[in-house]
Amino acid sequence: LQREYDAVVIGAGHNGLVAAAYLQQAGLRTAVLEKRHVLGGAAVTEEIVPGFKFSRASYLLSLLRPQIYADLELQRHGLRVLARDPYSFTPLLEDRSPPRSLLLGHDMAQTQQQIAQFSQKDAQAYPEYEAFMGRMVLALDPLLDAPPVDTAALGKGSLLQQLRNLQTLKPLLQAGLALGRQLPHYYEVLTAPISKILDHWFESEPLKATLATDAVIGAMASPHTPGSGYVLLHHVMGELEGRRGAWGYVAGGMGALSQAIAQAATARGAHIFAEKAVCHVLLGRDREAQGVVLQDGTEVRSKLVLSNASPQITFLELIPQEQLPKDFVQRIRQVDTCSPVTKINVAVDRLPSFLAAPNARDGQPLPHHQCSIHLNCEGTQLLHQAFTEAAQGHPSSRPMIELCIPSVLDPGLAPPGCHVVSLFTQYTPSVLAGGRPWDEQARNAYADTVFDCIEDYAPGFKASVIGRDILTPPDLERIFGLPGGNIFHGGMSLDQLYFARPAPSYSGYRSPIPGLYLCGSGAHPGGGVMGAAGRNAAQVAVKDFRHL
């Protein structure tokens, strides 16, 4: 580790690594400092049960910007993504033998056939719904790859400067024009509860509940919460191998993605260090960032500091409060980081066999095993009920469960015949009713609830479990630095997006401290393994560096 760089990045989450690669490519000598022993932030592969490799936190890939794949040549650096088709499976608990289930895939005719079991009308409406959402995603796409419009700068400077500043409106105008005459309908999608939007299109509950999961995932919100529509859009904004809205597994787990980005950065000359915890940002006489101090007292000087930590850690822990505007500090403290997510990683000795789609005699994977498997999704009311319990401080008695088995497509993640199961579950309050802590007893009780639910759909599941790793909101905060356990570094509600992320007038990656930039999920455009915040922040920082 050298004593001086042009730029230092705090935290080697995927956004920090992306930022480092772009900074170094622009000719800035860059160092990345990560406090954990592994790179990748929440995008890591960890062997928690011997022989079983888990994507311990984030577990699927779709949102990574196509530009980043190309610019950083991630495939050349070893990234392999395993596409899933079919991609969604919702088995039902019902008094029929066998119970019905809903399987969605990229073959539209087959998907319509599946939907028709529940409603002929919905089967006909589905392609139109997909096209409607697809147009909206295409329109919003340009907003992801540029900083939000700097409204403060619009009326300032010489006439030429003002005209230049108008350029920043381009992505917004592009989006507006693309939405065109349909704008009022799209406005509704952004602001309404997703249940209202889905009720407009469909009548069958299993279909609506399955689609609604994308609108509440990671959010302490119910399908009836206004604005949940945007979160759904955020999750269908990605593409995989040119297929819009598709999600896939990363071969080798999510850590392999972080490794590929790290290799792209190192190949360009960046220095990346694990087990180097930053304890504060160094400030100069004019309150400008001048580097960082590590926990062991080492000073690393730099002209720019980019923080991939959350806004809360960056501004409330790494900077002395008196150096920041009071109003700004208050804004950061008030960011809603409430998160309902408990992630459970499970090692099993055989594939789950669902009543709605029993395994073959040889126990080999069937098409639905590669899917995101949605449990307790018989209807949106169930999701709302699960939310209501958590809002009162009680973990859901019938949680929303998204079960994934990446080892079906990537057998190397587990010993022969065994599998790794990822359970993304909600809703769990970060503070339990009566202020009870999430102790060992509370964590195991909730995990048992989840396992009991799975057992109802797939008898024999509990007997197949070899080991489990339970990550409640406080665990996600402690291990991964996610504020309140929030996987997006702060809720993705409309009042915390675009202009207002992380705080009004600071949405363009710059902060009240000159030379300090935010480059993580707490900045525009928000969470998910997207890389956009890292790339955009690096571009803003490079521009400023040229003027130093």
Side-chain angles (χ1 to χ4, degrees):
L1 179 63
Q2 293 163 13
R3 291 284 177 252
E4 202 170 325
Y5 290 89
D6 294 325
V8 164
V9 179
I10 303 171
H14 78 279
N15 273 309
L17 295 168
V18 165
Y22 280 100
L23 290 166
Q24 190 69 45
Q25 189 163 342
L28 279 68
R29 288 174 314 117
T30 303
V32 184
L33 307 170
E34 167 57 46
K35 93 177 166 189
R36 292 193 75 210
H37 61 289
V38 278
L39 302 180
V44 285
T45 304
E46 296 188 54
E47 192 172 322
I48 296 162
V49 177
F52 292 82
K53 298 182 190 71
F54 294 106
S55 291
R56 198 171 178 199
S58 53
Y59 56 102
L60 284 169
L61 187 67
S62 165
L63 303 179
L64 193 70
R65 305 303 293 151
Q67 198 57 48
I68 294 173
Y69 278 101
D71 291 349
L72 304 189
E73 305 173 286
L74 294 182
Q75 267 166 326
R76 191 166 73 79
H77 290 292
L79 176 65
R80 273 184 45 242
V81 185
L82 310 167
R84 311 181 306 160
D85 189 18
Y87 55 83
S88 171
F89 177 64
T90 310
L92 305 189
L93 275 187
E94 56 180 7
D95 296 331
R96 312 184 166 211
S97 192
R100 290 171 300 171
S101 61
L102 176 64
L103 189 68
L104 307 177
H106 295 300
D107 179 322
M108 186 53 85
Q110 276 177 349
T111 293
Q112 285 180 286
Q113 221 174 338
Q114 283 282 317
I115 297 171
Q117 303 173 83
F118 302 97
S119 160
Q120 201 61 54
K121 188 168 146 262
D122 289 2
Q124 281 169 331
Y126 190 71
E128 208 183 320
Y129 166 82
E130 287 268 90
F132 173 82
M133 287 301 196
R135 282 194 299 274
M136 185 158 189
V137 162
L138 277 175
L140 295 177
D141 201 61
L143 297 181
L144 303 180
D145 295 315
V149 175
D150 182 0
T151 47
L154 285 180
K156 285 191 185 145
S158 64
L159 191 58
L160 182 64
Q161 197 56 52
Q162 287 187 39
L163 287 170
R164 272 207 196 112
N165 291 341
L166 282 176
Q167 280 279 297
T168 63
L169 282 169
K170 204 172 119 192
L172 252 191
L173 293 172
Q174 271 177 314
L177 290 170
L179 294 174
R181 284 203 305 268
Q182 290 275 0
L183 192 61
H185 291 290
Y186 289 120
Y187 170 79
E188 187 185 26
V189 174
L190 287 181
T191 54
I194 195 64
S195 55
K196 179 182 174 190
I197 304 298
L198 293 172
D199 284 344
H200 168 80
W201 285 93
F202 306 117
E203 58 187 12
S204 59
E205 280 302 323
L207 176 62
K208 288 192 284 188
T210 300
L211 296 174
T213 57
D214 270 340
V216 295
I217 205 151
M220 188 55 102
S222 129
H224 302 329
T225 306
S228 44
Y230 180 78
V231 180
L232 176 100
L233 277 178
H234 187 78
H235 284 99
V236 292
M237 267 182 192
E239 59 177 74
L240 215 55
E241 291 160 357
R243 183 168 262 156
R244 294 215 72 88
W247 290 77
Y249 298 122
V250 175
M254 290 301 276
L257 166 71
S258 301
Q259 285 304 321
I261 303 172
Q263 275 163 11
T266 345
R268 287 163 173 70
H271 293 181
I272 303 176
F273 304 93
E275 297 183 310
K276 297 276 183 222
V278 170
C279 75
H280 64 259
V281 174
L282 272 174
L283 299 182
R285 246 181 259 155
D286 298 325
R287 283 201 346 210
E288 78 284 16
Q290 290 192 334
V292 297
V293 183
L294 302 186
Q295 234 148 28
D296 62 10
T298 312
E299 289 193 2
V300 183
R301 299 260 163 189
S302 66
K303 295 194 175 69
L304 306 177
V305 176
L306 282 80
S307 176
N308 185 191
S310 66
Q312 291 74 8
I313 290 176
T314 307
F315 300 118
L316 305 178
E317 293 179 29
L318 301 180
I319 303 275
Q321 301 301 276
E322 63 277 8
Q323 301 296 333
L324 292 164
K326 273 202 177 67
D327 176 53
F328 178 78
V329 171
Q330 189 187 358
R331 287 268 182 192
I332 298 298
R333 282 191 202 282
Q334 288 175 341
V335 169
D336 176 10
T337 56
C338 198
S339 171
V341 175
T342 289
K343 171 89 195 281
I344 307 175
N345 298 301
V346 193
V348 296
D349 64 12
R350 58 185 177 273
L351 269 178
S353 180
F354 294 90
L355 292 173
N359 289 358
R361 280 228 178 84
D362 61 4
Q364 285 306 300
L366 296 167
H368 66 270
H369 283 118
Q370 62 185 275
C371 294
S372 287
I373 299 172
H374 299 282
L375 306 182
N376 291 337
C377 280
E378 282 78 7
T380 44
Q381 208 35 47
L382 270 177
L383 305 182
H384 180 67
Q385 212 174 314
F387 161 76
T388 314
E389 289 174 304
Q392 288 157 3
H394 305 288
S396 310
S397 52
R398 273 195 74 182
M400 168 180 132
I401 300 168
E402 183 176 301
L403 182 154
C404 290
I405 318 170
S407 46
V408 165
L409 295 182
D410 190 9
L413 296 174
C418 297
H419 287 277
V420 293
V421 174
S422 155
L423 302 173
F424 191 89
T425 78
Q426 54 193 75
Y427 298 77
T428 48
S430 41
V431 180
L432 296 167
R436 278 184 308 128
W438 273 104
D439 53 19
E440 211 47 37
Q441 191 191 352
R443 292 164 63 204
N444 282 314
Y446 175 70
D448 290 343
T449 299
V450 171
F451 283 26
D452 287 341
C453 285
I454 300 171
E455 188 76 16
D456 290 340
Y457 291 91
F461 173 77
K462 291 200 314 202
S464 72
V465 174
I466 297 171
R468 66 186 187 184
D469 168 42
I470 308 164
L471 301 168
T472 61
D475 299 318
L476 292 169
E477 177 157 33
R478 180 174 47 84
I479 299 169
F480 300 105
L482 300 168
N486 193 294
I487 61 171
F488 306 125
H489 283 193
M492 298 280 293
S493 49
L494 285 180
D495 57 321
Q496 295 189 161
L497 289 172
Y498 202 64
F499 293 126
R501 193 170 191 91
S505 31
Y506 292 102
S507 60
Y509 309 103
R510 297 181 183 94
S511 76
I513 303 286
L516 174 66
Y517 305 81
L518 201 57
C519 70
S521 293
H524 171 76
V529 181
M530 200 178 235
R535 175 167 171 259
N536 295 352
Q539 288 170 339
V540 169
V542 166
K543 208 163 100 185
D544 290 355
F545 183 78
R546 305 266 184 257
H547 296 133
L548 282 177

